[in-house]
Amino acid sequence: KEDVPPERIALVSRRLFVGLPGYLLAAFVSLLNPYVGIGICLALWVYWALMAYEASEERRGLHLFQK
């Protein structure tokens, strides 16, 4: 959309850039050791939870992580 600032688009793009390689790594590693693959998925879950929390704080005008 035109009303979304380019900085916001770049931020979301950087965050999503972690997802695909992370899940591909988890899938490959799961072939060798399923427990490590699950661990990677859990780490990604924590990452996504923190990013969602940070985004909700930004919308409210608060900043958890100072840049």
Side-chain angles (χ1 to χ4, degrees), residues 14-53:
R14 280 193 306 271
R15 289 177 180 169
L16 291 176
F17 185 71
V18 172
L20 180 61
Y23 287 114
L24 288 175
L25 176 66
F28 175 73
V29 170
S30 292
L31 297 173
L32 305 173
N33 188 333
Y35 296 112
V36 175
I38 290 172
I40 293 170
C41 287
L42 287 173
L44 286 168
W45 176 79
V46 169
Y47 171 78
W48 290 120
L50 287 173
M51 294 302 106
Y53 180 77

